Amino acid sequence: MDTVYTSFLKMLDFSDDEITEIGDDWKIAANAIGLVDKDIEFAQNVWIPQYWDISMKGVRLCIAAYIRELIDILKISEFKKQGKKIIYGISPSQPACYRAIKLAGGDDIYVGYPDFVIANILGPFFNKQSLFSSDDTYLSDKCRHCGLNRTRINMSLNTIIPNPDVIWSWGFFCDEGRKTEELIECMSDNQWNYITSVMPHDAAFGEQEDKNTERVKYLAEEIRHGHRSIEEHTGISVTAKHMFDALKEYSECIRKLDELNKLVTNSRPQPIGGNELGLFGNIVGLTLNTGLDYFNEALDTILDEVKQKIENNEGILPYDSPKLGCHFTPICVPWVDRTFLQYGVSLTFSSHVSFSKINFLPFDYLDPYMISAQIWLRNANSVNLGSHAERMSEMLKEYDIDGMLYGFFSFDRWLGTSRMTLEMIEEKSGIQHFYLEGDYWDDRNYKQEDRAGRIETIAYFLKSKKLLSRNDG
Amino acid sequence: MARRKVISNKKEIFDAAFTIVDTDGVNALSIRHLSGYLNVSSMTLYNYIENIDEVKKEVILEGFRRLYRNGYEALLSIRKYDGWIRIDEGCRVLAGALYHFGVAQPHLFELMFCTNDGKFRKDPEVAPFYGFFHNLLHRKSAPNGNGDNGRALNMLGHITNYMIIERIRGVNNTTEEDYFEHVNEYISKMF
């Protein structure tokens, strides 16, 4: 008999056999993260159709891949009882390094990012931030903390996820993540083991860090040390082959994602919206315990569908509508993308999870850890501000956009230096930048009615400029 | 009447602030006046906003929304069948939109362009909207072969703002005809 839970899975193209197999697990998982029958009904009948183009099979399959991972997350306690080793990662990080551990451990371990997956399910598909608000005692949202850390701490306090054997806190980018582990450890009755990998942000302004062999070597050793520490905690040994295999998996996925980014952003009319593109972009910083197969199937499907739309000249807005690139399209508050669309402007690629030519250059090393480190140091967001500005402006030139949208990280990186960098990127690329104060993870402090006026102003600005640019030939 | 303890949402505060500026002028916008208008205590108001600058910023952003909407609608009204709008035509139309906006909402215009020592011009959310002409018409290589038109557009912005402010403050009796005569002369020489 159909229930709201099986009906939801049907909407996402789960087969009848699979629904029979995982239907109960899905209900248990949903309930465990605070979703009840009416939330599932609301998502299926209102929220998802309103903010996600589920007429596209690729989108349905991608949402299904997230749901599969959620079901796996809520089985971690069971895995632990079976004696499997449990390893958590945090985002932003380089997923291939975590994937290599999974390849080494196979079915005997769980490797994933529970906080990231759950935060990217609750807001985008259910409009529910229960895990952010369930306990504001620690990392209160009023103090502007990252939604991921708030989710992780609340998941731990509410025992939604058990303590891992070890959590590898990738501190090359995020400096709050490792402090959160420390806080959880202080509060936890049981041991909350964590490893932190960091490197000093002391490169000279404008230095090409991926070309500095000493720096690449230092980072490679930090990553290698992380794997060694995980081996000490779990007994699982990562070899060079595991690393190569993981890097290969991710590079194939990233090439496809790059093709999708370019096809969508550089086509007029634009075939799919910023939300849909953002949904796929997350894989750049995410390891799934369920693997990449489901995700790759979704990515292949959306690529075919996008190509078909381009051939049919179909789009979400008329041919010459303005397009905005985005630092990181806030899919957890999906009304942002749709409010822009309502005013005749589309969001496109997210620069945070996109690539430029430099990302696809041959590597200078043969050692997989050195390759991994070089990949990280080619990422525009991982390097010093001068190099960041240079790489961002190079990246923006590869995209057909009328402006860039920043913001949604008021809890994090909006500091004076970043503002100065934006001015540099604007100057170098010639592309107008806008800033919209907001929170990527939830909208309790930045409501749609408060932001709509700003979005409307940006839309009038861009549409006026578009009208006046026609005489440029 | 007893004072309220809650406000439905922040927008209620910003709408009230906009009305105060529009009717009584920039100097009338204070926490005291705003709380009186909303029938709440100052302390209640501070539960929702950080300080009066947050309110002023919202009023300024609302002003820009109206200005850019007026500009867009004016441009649409002169667009030809092929969508072609010449730079000089664009300048004239936007100068008209700016003038009519300033005259219709003089207090708001003053808040946006003449007060706070440029404080809000540096705010990342507001900054992109300053430089009305430059934002919309700047070309590094203008189609008429005149090269970068940035300085000419900035100067047009200064001239128009100055004349509108003089009109608003009653410094002289600049009429609409005078304004457009000056603007047209400048545009015909520069573009």
Side-chain angles (χ1 to χ4, degrees):
Chain A
M1 195 180 78
D2 262 9
T3 65
V4 289
Y5 297 91
T6 54
S7 170
F8 183 87
L9 294 180
K10 271 185 188 164
M11 174 184 76
L12 300 177
D13 288 359
F14 281 82
S15 69
D16 288 342
D17 286 348
E18 207 177 357
I19 290 173
T20 308
E21 190 188 334
I22 65 166
D24 290 343
D25 291 339
W26 158 231
K27 185 174 186 297
I28 291 166
N31 295 163
I33 60 168
L35 299 173
V36 294
D37 293 13
K38 67 176 172 55
D39 296 320
I40 309 291
E41 274 181 313
F42 170 74
Q44 182 171 359
N45 300 327
V46 181
W47 194 255
I48 292 178
Q50 192 173 348
Y51 294 114
W52 303 95
D53 184 359
I54 50 168
S55 70
M56 305 197 74
K57 189 174 181 184
V59 174
R60 297 197 299 273
L61 292 178
C62 192
I63 299 174
Y66 281 90
I67 297 296
R68 282 192 175 88
E69 187 68 12
L70 171 69
I71 293 169
D72 229 34
I73 289 169
L74 272 299
K75 285 182 180 171
I76 297 175
S77 296
E78 195 182 312
F79 294 156
K80 203 168 177 179
K81 280 180 199 154
Q82 292 165 4
K84 293 182 180 180
K85 299 293 179 189
I86 310 299
I87 299 160
Y88 299 153
I90 73 159
S91 185
S93 58
Q94 198 178 74
C97 297
Y98 293 82
R99 180 68 183 154
I101 308 167
K102 177 69 184 174
L103 292 178
D107 289 339
D108 293 333
I109 58 165
Y110 169 93
V111 183
Y113 299 34
D115 55 355
F116 190 90
V117 171
I118 289 178
N120 274 284
I121 285 176
L122 282 174
F125 310 134
F126 297 95
N127 189 31
K128 187 121 178 169
Q129 280 90 19
S130 52
L131 284 173
F132 300 148
S133 55
S134 62
D135 191 334
D136 264 2
T137 313
Y138 307 99
L139 302 189
S140 152
D141 69 300
K142 300 259 184 246
C143 294
R144 320 297 312 125
H145 287 289
C146 169
L148 285 184
N149 291 325
R150 281 189 280 140
T151 303
R152 193 156 71 256
I153 206 163
N154 281 319
M155 284 199 305
S156 169
L157 288 172
N158 297 330
T159 59
I160 291 167
I161 52 168
N163 287 6
D165 287 283
V166 64
I167 175 164
W168 187 8
S169 189
W170 189 269
F172 302 121
F173 193 93
C174 171
D175 57 1
E176 192 184 85
R178 58 185 194 261
K179 302 304 289 181
T180 306
E181 312 313 337
E182 200 178 327
L183 180 60
I184 296 174
E185 191 190 31
C186 291
M187 297 184 316
S188 180
D189 293 336
N190 305 312
Q191 191 67 28
W192 180 267
N193 292 321
Y194 63 97
I195 302 162
T196 296
S197 296
V198 287
M199 74 182 296
H201 294 280
D202 57 354
F205 190 83
E207 181 191 351
Q208 278 195 55
E209 296 182 47
D210 63 306
K211 289 289 175 192
N212 180 337
T213 306
E214 283 306 304
R215 199 162 184 81
V216 175
K217 204 171 163 184
Y218 182 92
L219 179 54
E221 279 309 308
E222 271 294 295
I223 299 169
R224 205 188 305 269
H225 177 72
H227 278 172
R228 281 196 205 114
S229 303
I230 284 165
E231 187 178 349
E232 283 167 21
H233 282 281
T234 64
I236 291 158
S237 175
V238 177
T239 65
K241 184 175 183 315
H242 296 132
M243 274 294 279
F244 275 124
D245 288 347
L247 287 167
K248 188 166 174 283
E249 266 188 24
Y250 269 88
S251 66
E252 281 168 6
C253 186
I254 276 165
R255 276 184 194 279
K256 282 193 271 189
L257 189 61
D258 182 54
E259 185 186 359
L260 182 66
N261 276 337
K262 300 263 165 57
L263 276 176
V264 172
T265 307
N266 296 340
S267 298
R268 287 186 185 272
Q270 186 179 319
I272 60 172
N275 275 351
E276 286 73 17
L277 205 49
L279 193 61
F280 286 91
N282 271 344
I283 199 66
V284 172
L286 178 62
T287 293
L288 302 168
N289 191 56
T290 47
L292 281 177
D293 288 350
Y294 295 119
F295 197 88
N296 272 326
E297 186 192 355
L299 195 48
D300 290 336
T301 308
I302 196 82
L303 270 167
D304 289 343
E305 289 179 304
V306 162
K307 285 172 189 167
Q308 192 60 52
K309 275 188 177 261
I310 293 169
E311 203 175 306
N312 299 344
N313 216 21
E314 289 171 24
I316 51 172
L317 284 174
Y319 175 85
D320 56 353
S321 303
K323 295 197 277 192
L324 271 179
C326 193
H327 172 58
F328 208 164
T329 304
I331 64 166
C332 292
V333 275
W335 51 258
V336 172
D337 174 66
R338 292 314 198 242
T339 309
F340 270 104
L341 273 185
Q342 189 189 321
Y343 288 117
V345 174
S346 54
L347 296 188
T348 59
F349 76 110
S350 297
S351 63
H352 194 72
V353 289
S354 298
F355 320 95
S356 67
K357 286 169 190 152
I358 188 175
N359 298 102
F360 298 108
L361 290 174
F363 300 110
D364 299 326
Y365 310 98
L366 294 174
D367 173 72
Y369 287 94
M370 291 291 277
I371 291 173
S372 187
Q374 195 167 36
I375 291 173
W376 184 256
L377 294 174
R378 282 178 178 175
N379 178 353
N381 293 295
S382 313
V383 293
N384 66 81
L385 292 174
S387 193
H388 168 78
E390 191 65 45
R391 287 175 188 183
M392 282 303 303
S393 52
E394 284 305 310
M395 183 195 290
L396 298 190
K397 286 175 193 164
E398 294 178 27
Y399 290 96
D400 172 21
I401 50 171
D402 302 288
M404 274 299 286
L405 180 67
Y406 276 76
F408 313 111
F409 287 86
S410 56
F411 54 86
D412 191 357
R413 296 202 148 212
W414 191 245
L415 305 171
T417 46
S418 306
R419 201 177 304 176
M420 190 177 72
T421 318
L422 285 198
E423 285 169 15
M424 288 167 58
I425 300 169
E426 203 168 40
E427 177 69 28
K428 281 172 189 284
S429 65
I431 291 170
Q432 176 71 51
H433 284 53
F434 299 95
Y435 178 72
L436 192 60
E437 189 87 14
D439 189 324
Y440 181 92
W441 301 105
D442 77 281
D443 61 1
R444 280 176 297 158
N445 289 307
Y446 302 97
K447 299 282 183 207
Q448 185 173 14
E449 59 266 25
D450 299 335
R451 302 292 105 176
R454 287 159 162 79
I455 292 173
E456 197 181 349
T457 314
I458 294 171
Y460 286 132
F461 182 122
L462 291 170
K463 289 195 285 190
S464 298
K465 202 165 176 175
K466 207 80 191 164
L467 279 178
L468 289 161
S469 69
R470 294 213 176 127
N471 52 5
D472 289 348
Chain B
M1 193 170 65
R3 284 196 295 200
R4 294 191 295 160
K5 298 282 182 202
V6 291
I7 293 170
S8 59
N9 55 44
K10 277 178 137 182
K11 194 168 182 303
E12 189 186 345
I13 300 172
F14 302 142
D15 287 346
F18 189 88
T19 306
I20 290 170
V21 170
D22 204 29
T23 51
D24 301 332
V26 182
N27 294 333
L29 184 58
S30 63
I31 290 291
R32 196 171 176 180
H33 193 164
L34 193 53
S35 52
Y37 188 95
L38 289 164
N39 191 30
V40 295
S41 72
S42 300
M43 290 312 293
T44 301
L45 205 50
Y46 279 120
N47 284 334
Y48 296 86
I49 57 164
E50 274 185 39
N51 51 43
I52 196 68
D53 277 354
E54 184 186 343
V55 179
K56 283 182 182 173
K57 175 182 158 180
E58 293 299 324
V59 175
I60 289 172
L61 278 167
E62 173 59 16
F64 276 119
R65 189 185 69 81
R66 291 172 185 226
L67 174 61
Y68 277 82
R69 183 190 59 197
N70 293 358
Y72 175 65
E73 285 171 355
L75 288 168
L76 269 185
S77 71
I78 63 151
R79 183 174 60 162
K80 296 183 179 64
Y81 69 93
D82 59 355
W84 183 276
I85 300 172
R86 291 198 320 267
I87 292 239
D88 60 330
E89 283 178 321
C91 285
R92 283 192 187 92
V93 166
L94 293 178
L98 185 68
Y99 179 84
H100 292 123
F101 171 78
V103 170
Q105 283 160 318
H107 300 308
L108 181 59
F109 193 93
E110 285 219 45
L111 176 63
M112 290 163 69
F113 295 105
C114 306
T115 54
N116 298 300
D117 305 320
K119 186 192 298 174
F120 296 109
R121 287 172 191 261
K122 292 174 191 158
D123 183 285
E125 281 194 292
V126 187
F129 304 114
Y130 281 104
F132 190 47
F133 296 100
H134 192 280
N135 281 344
L136 302 181
L137 288 154
H138 178 230
R139 306 283 181 275
K140 284 193 171 164
S141 178
N144 61 5
N146 285 349
D148 193 323
N149 62 9
R151 283 184 183 175
L153 289 168
N154 282 338
M155 186 53 74
L156 178 61
H158 293 315
I159 293 169
T160 48
N161 271 13
Y162 180 76
M163 291 182 74
I164 294 167
I165 286 297
E166 286 214 323
R167 158 81 197 261
I168 287 172
R169 291 181 177 170
V171 176
N172 61 34
N173 295 322
T174 307
T175 62
E176 190 169 337
E177 287 76 30
D178 293 335
Y179 172 84
F180 282 107
E181 198 177 307
H182 281 81
V183 167
N184 278 329
E185 191 169 339
Y186 179 79
I187 291 172
S188 60
K189 284 193 171 134
M190 294 307 295
F191 300 98

